[in-house]
Amino acid sequence: MLIKNLIEDTHSFWTEGSGNFPEIVLSSRIRLARNLEEFLFNTSNKENSKGVLKTIKDATSNIESLEFFNLEIFNDLERKVLVEKHLISPGHGHNPQNKGILVNKEGSVSIMVNEEDHLRIQCFGSGLVLKDLWQKCTELDDLLEEKLNFAFNEKYGYLTTCPTNLGTGLRVSVMMHLPALVLTRQTNLILRQLSQVGVAVRGIFGEGTEALGNLFQISNQISLGQSEEEIVANVNLIVKRLVDQEQKAREYLLNKSGLLIEDKAKRAYGILTNAKIISSEEAFSLISDLRLGKTLGMVENLEIKPINELFLLCQPAYLQIISGKEMTAQERDIKRAEIFKEILQR
């Protein structure tokens, strides 16, 4: 079953370590918000959302590259794994009634049905690949628009539940690892500057979440008043500037505190391969230290991909899925340590 593989596989688009600037940019995402013209923009209304779900399921049944799943077939733990893999949002997985997901076999396309909007079309890729993803996502959007009546206004563009998504309905997001900017205490100033130019900075799971492991989501805040191409180009430019700032901060640390950074990376490796108990919060910090050391050439005989996989493997729901049972917090901390040792020493 496709979805079973997506849930259990350690592979994810943000662990591949490919694309442009993979040492700093883990992943890119293009998301389009769309609503159906003939239904209320209220996904919490039972009858309304039921009609939306059936309409979208029927309309997409002959798209061979996508498979439809009703979220109600998944248990709470499985839905949390889909959140941890970024295939659905935390809000989408909270209450599964009359909600669905359309995915492709690689997990690089995920369409949430009845999240905040009727459809949230998402295309993912490893590294900084926004232009390629935009092309892929707009082709999928055109295909869906041939089968569904999207709500559109000549003045305001695509109509959405939240005013910030009006117009293009486009959200461009990039997941970045910025440990050097954090260590050199530049993040607060940079984040304030980004907010002034319409760019949002969030934690690993989006709005309202922490930047665990020095992972930050960078995305546009407004989708009205600019074309899709302008939004993509703007975010792409800002991310490249952040990459340049992070690279310079890493060079500074290498020159001024190289021994300290190497010590932190090798201590992280030692703990991750020898500890018996590791909490998720500690895990994120250690993985960040190890990843920085690897990208600076301080950790040998270890590829970037297994380090990226640790960000997924440390997640509580995923740990329980691969263990085949629900676990207490302490049991998860023990299992996490076992898996880290296995991954890093294989």
Side-chain angles (χ1 to χ4, degrees):
M1 185 180 183
L2 166 63
I3 201 70
K4 179 178 173 65
N5 294 334
L6 289 178
I7 290 173
E8 296 182 357
D9 194 353
T10 58
H11 165 81
S12 179
F13 58 90
W14 56 289
T15 64
E16 289 179 3
S18 60
N20 299 317
F21 312 111
E23 70 282 0
I24 295 173
V25 179
L26 272 77
S27 66
S28 301
R29 181 192 71 168
I30 296 289
R31 191 201 75 192
L32 293 169
R34 298 288 185 260
N35 287 282
L36 304 185
E37 189 175 64
E38 61 268 39
F39 291 94
L40 298 173
F41 293 8
N42 182 0
T43 58
S44 63
N45 179 284
K46 182 178 178 180
E47 290 304 314
N48 187 70
S49 59
K50 186 177 180 180
V52 170
L53 192 71
K54 183 180 187 305
T55 299
I56 293 173
K57 180 181 179 180
D58 292 345
T60 59
S61 61
N62 61 351
I63 300 179
E64 295 182 359
S65 61
L66 297 174
E67 189 166 350
F68 176 91
F69 297 94
N70 192 312
L71 283 192
E72 292 185 70
I73 71 170
F74 305 113
N75 61 38
D76 183 59
L77 205 56
E78 290 170 333
R79 293 195 304 276
K80 287 179 179 177
V81 170
L82 294 176
V83 173
E84 291 174 354
K85 286 199 165 190
H86 297 259
L87 293 172
I88 64 174
S89 67
H92 195 50
H94 179 65
N95 179 6
Q97 188 177 39
N98 294 325
K99 293 180 180 179
I101 179 176
L102 284 149
V103 290
N104 66 349
K105 64 179 181 180
E106 297 86 10
S108 60
V109 172
S110 168
I111 303 174
M112 294 182 285
V113 181
N114 280 333
E115 199 239 22
E116 186 175 317
D117 293 288
H118 295 156
L119 293 118
R120 289 277 175 100
I121 305 163
Q122 304 179 106
C123 294
F124 309 102
S126 180
L128 184 61
V129 287
L130 292 177
K131 292 181 181 178
D132 291 343
L133 282 186
W134 165 241
Q135 182 63 37
K136 179 179 180 179
C137 204
T138 194
E139 288 174 0
L140 178 58
D141 182 41
D142 289 344
L143 176 62
L144 292 171
E145 198 159 16
E146 290 175 2
K147 302 172 180 293
L148 297 162
N149 297 317
F150 290 159
F152 184 85
N153 179 277
E154 288 297 329
K155 181 178 180 180
Y156 297 110
Y158 288 102
L159 303 180
T160 57
T161 303
C162 179
T164 60
N165 290 319
L166 275 174
T168 61
L170 174 63
R171 180 64 55 88
V172 180
S173 303
V174 176
M175 181 82 75
M176 305 187 73
H177 184 223
L178 305 174
L181 289 176
V182 173
L183 288 171
T184 55
R185 300 181 180 181
Q186 299 182 64
T187 47
N188 288 340
L189 175 61
I190 290 172
L191 300 189
R192 283 199 300 271
Q193 292 172 338
L194 290 176
S195 67
Q196 292 171 2
V197 294
V199 173
V201 182
R202 299 181 171 92
I204 184 172
F205 293 114
E207 190 171 356
T209 63
E210 297 179 75
L212 296 170
N214 300 313
L215 296 176
F216 297 86
Q217 278 196 49
I218 312 298
S219 63
N220 62 299
Q221 287 183 307
I222 304 297
S223 62
L224 183 64
Q226 289 182 304
S227 69
E228 292 94 335
E229 290 79 7
E230 288 173 330
I231 294 171
V232 172
N234 185 49
V235 174
N236 198 59
L237 178 61
I238 288 170
V239 169
K240 284 184 176 180
R241 287 176 178 171
L242 273 175
V243 166
D244 183 59
Q245 290 173 308
E246 173 68 16
Q247 287 173 335
K248 288 178 179 177
R250 292 186 185 192
E251 290 173 8
Y252 173 84
L253 290 174
L254 193 59
N255 293 329
K256 298 293 184 180
S257 309
L259 187 61
L260 177 62
I261 299 301
E262 183 177 2
D263 182 67
K264 284 170 68 71
K266 291 186 174 178
R267 281 177 182 270
Y269 180 80
I271 295 172
L272 290 168
T273 54
N274 288 281
K276 298 296 183 181
I277 300 175
I278 303 177
S279 69
S280 59
E281 185 176 351
E282 182 186 19
F284 272 106
S285 178
L286 292 170
I287 297 165
S288 179
D289 289 343
L290 179 61
R291 195 177 191 279
L292 176 60
K294 168 61 184 176
T295 59
L296 293 177
M298 297 171 173
V299 179
E300 300 177 355
N301 302 320
L302 188 61
E303 298 300 320
I304 196 72
K305 184 176 179 179
I307 298 177
N308 289 346
E309 286 178 355
L310 298 184
F311 282 126
L312 175 61
L313 289 165
C314 74
Q315 305 288 338
Y318 190 75
L319 280 173
Q320 294 174 87
I321 284 290
I322 61 178
S323 300
K325 62 178 181 179
E326 293 191 14
M327 307 167 78
T328 65
Q330 186 177 50
E331 287 174 334
R332 294 197 300 270
D333 292 349
I334 294 170
K335 185 65 177 179
R336 185 178 292 111
E338 291 175 357
I339 291 175
F340 284 0
K341 182 176 183 178
E342 178 186 341
I343 292 292
L344 293 175
Q345 293 187 338
R346 67 186 178 189

